Amino acid sequence: MSTENEGTPVPADPAAPSAPPTPPAPPTPAAAPAGETAPQEAHRPTPPAAPPSAPQEDEPTAVQPTVQAHTPAPAPAPAAAGGPAGGWPPPPPTVPAWGAPQQPAPAAPRRRTGGLVAAVLVASLVAGGIGGGIGYWAAERGDNGVSSTTVSSGQAPASFKRDPGTVAAVAAKALPSVVTIQAKSGGQDGEGGTGTGFVYDQEGHIVTNNHVVASAADGGTLSVTFSDGKTYDAEVVGRAEGYDVAVLKLKNAPKGLTPLPLGDSDKVAVGDSTIAIGAPFGLSNTVTTGIVSAKNRPVASGDGSGGSSSYMSALQTDASINPGNSGGPLLDASGAVIGINSAIQSTSGGFGQSQAGSIGLGFAIPVNQAKNVAQQLIRTGKPVYPVIGATVNMQDKGQGATIATQGSGGTASVTPDGPAAKAGLKAGDVITAFDDHPIDSGPTLISEIWTHKPGDSVKITYERDGKTATATVVLGERTGDS
């Protein structure tokens, strides 16, 4: 996953309209309701001008002068045939029953826009125009003596409290412990990128991805910015390329750091809620939500620099993860870290190699694995990997992980007196399961091996000459990435 910031320049806001919109014209007086009879015209003097009908809601009212008449008042008109007798008023107009649908008001014409950025800009301009129009209209209504009533919310946003467990409450608690990392190489160009990390302990250790800090690891510079805007210089404590985990240490770390609580990724279930925090495309303190959409997903990814690939048996989530989210925490609904966001699936078919945005397939290193790696890096500065002592074919897929006929540099594919050799495994054996987890390829096998520790005993199922067998392997260890 590339972590370079890809911000999009935003044009300056256009100037506001120079003149306010013209206030709406007074409404046309409404016709008499059905069921009423017009007064008789015979033997009546010319009546004064009829007053305007009652104004509709939110429409300006025109005031007309009253014409004084000097003629005697006309006699009452007789009731129309068929009308109510005894001087009763006419029946009220018919209204729809409660809950009956009403005719919607005609929608205002809308302009078509030609793209996402254009749509955003148009929306801003329309909002500004509406604001100016409402201000002018309110002033006109005030000048005509018409009062207006506003209704306020019972609770102002400043005093509104979010219940524990809501996304807002979890994010508010976690954000002060999530940092944005700026990494620059030591070369003349000073190339680098933006990533994310989180506070691991009160001593100032920050956990992130290796590919976030790789460009600055040798002679470059690292800075860490907290959500309150304070920035601190940092240095690399240790990196694990294969795990894609790195640990930084703040220089002159402030007091009162609050580490994020670590959850148990082994107990995560598909469908559990997730919250991702990071700086996608350099947009710090961004919070997205989703669920755990799969577990134990074998993922091989790289940083695009041609270095060693990393392997993980990942948590898959549909929470939006983009370049810049790398190294940030994936939280559960309680706010505990269950993974480190590391890779995304791109439409090109690669994992984390494209600058394309999220398509709902993000992958996180399970926190149980990341915790073990971080503790090792803090203690020694070097990663330790569990191994089986055998070289497997990394190209074949779908038929298991085949032990190669020859190792790198012409060495034996099965290390003499190594874990696999002691368990009786040989070149050509096809490993189909590792501790009851199905194995369909070499990368899947490595992802499963690296979820364990050196010294763990695991059951391996393999095929040889068409027959299935099992063996118990005690994992060995390898120190460092070289």
Side-chain angles (χ1 to χ4, degrees):
M1 175 191 293
S2 174
T3 59
E4 185 175 358
N5 181 11
E6 292 190 350
T8 303
V10 180
D13 290 340
S18 59
T22 303
T28 304
E36 292 187 8
T37 305
Q40 296 181 0
E41 299 294 335
H43 308 292
R44 294 179 58 190
T46 302
S53 61
Q56 300 293 325
E57 184 177 3
D58 292 336
E59 291 184 357
T61 303
V63 180
Q64 299 185 8
T66 303
V67 178
Q68 303 253 345
H70 298 284
T71 58
W88 290 96
T94 303
V95 296
W98 184 87
Q102 300 185 17
Q103 294 295 331
R110 300 175 60 186
R111 294 187 179 181
R112 302 180 63 88
T113 56
L116 177 60
V117 175
V120 172
L121 294 179
V122 168
S124 299
L125 292 173
V126 169
I130 292 175
I134 290 176
Y136 177 80
W137 180 32
E140 289 295 305
R141 288 173 63 91
D143 290 344
N144 287 336
V146 180
S147 61
S148 175
T149 301
T150 60
V151 179
S152 299
S153 171
Q155 286 183 312
S159 62
F160 183 78
K161 295 182 179 180
R162 275 75 183 176
D163 294 333
T166 61
V167 174
V170 171
K173 187 175 181 180
L175 276 168
S177 300
V178 180
V179 300
T180 300
I181 300 172
Q182 292 284 349
K184 293 184 179 180
S185 66
Q188 293 181 351
D189 296 335
E191 295 180 353
T194 301
T196 308
F198 61 91
V199 177
Y200 181 75
D201 57 29
Q202 292 182 331
E203 285 69 41
H205 288 109
I206 305 294
V207 172
T208 185
N209 282 141
N210 170 68
H211 73 257
V212 169
V213 302
S215 62
D218 299 319
T221 60
L222 288 166
S223 63
V224 170
T225 303
F226 284 79
S227 60
D228 60 4
K230 295 181 180 179
T231 300
Y232 301 87
D233 292 333
E235 59 186 356
V236 175
V237 171
R239 300 189 297 133
E241 292 182 11
Y243 293 122
D244 197 15
V245 174
V247 176
L248 311 181
K249 178 73 179 295
L250 299 180
K251 299 178 180 178
N252 301 318
K255 295 182 179 180
L257 291 175
T258 303
L260 285 182
L262 304 182
D264 186 348
S265 51
D266 290 340
K267 295 181 179 179
V268 170
V270 173
D272 282 350
S273 297
T274 58
I275 301 173
I277 303 180
F281 299 104
L283 301 174
S284 301
N285 309 318
T286 295
V287 178
T288 56
T289 63
I291 62 169
V292 175
S293 52
K295 292 179 60 178
N296 303 316
R297 187 72 79 192
V299 173
S301 64
D303 59 7
S305 63
S308 301
S309 295
S310 58
Y311 301 91
M312 68 186 90
S313 182
L315 296 176
Q316 178 180 303
T317 181
D318 65 347
S320 294
I321 296 176
N322 290 285
N325 276 107
S326 293
L330 184 68
L331 308 175
D332 63 14
S334 71
V337 181
I338 57 174
I340 300 177
N341 301 318
S342 298
I344 58 174
Q345 173 71 58
S346 66
T347 53
S348 62
F351 287 95
Q353 298 294 326
S354 172
Q355 284 290 303
S358 171
I359 59 172
L361 289 174
F363 304 95
I365 303 169
V367 73
N368 289 5
Q369 176 182 344
K371 177 182 177 180
N372 294 333
V373 177
Q375 290 175 341
Q376 182 67 38
L377 293 176
I378 292 173
R379 284 197 305 266
T380 68
K382 295 182 179 180
V384 175
Y385 299 93
V387 297
I388 63 171
T391 302
V392 297
N393 190 321
M394 301 296 284
Q395 280 72 43
D396 295 342
K397 294 183 179 180
Q399 302 298 324
T402 303
I403 298 179
T405 57
Q406 189 175 9
S408 60
T411 61
S413 59
V414 179
T415 305
D417 203 32
K422 291 180 179 179
L425 295 176
K426 298 179 180 180
D429 289 347
V430 181
I431 299 174
T432 58
F434 186 90
D435 257 0
D436 297 326
H437 289 280
I439 301 299
D440 61 359
S441 64
T444 302
L445 176 62
I446 295 176
S447 298
E448 287 297 329
I449 293 173
W450 285 359
T451 62
H452 291 72
K453 297 179 182 179
D456 287 352
S457 294
V458 296
K459 183 179 72 172
I460 289 181
T461 303
Y462 64 95
E463 293 181 358
R464 180 188 296 171
D465 299 330
K467 297 180 180 180
T468 300
T470 60
T472 299
V473 176
V474 179
L475 298 177
E477 68 177 54
R478 186 193 82 206
T479 301
D481 285 307
S482 58

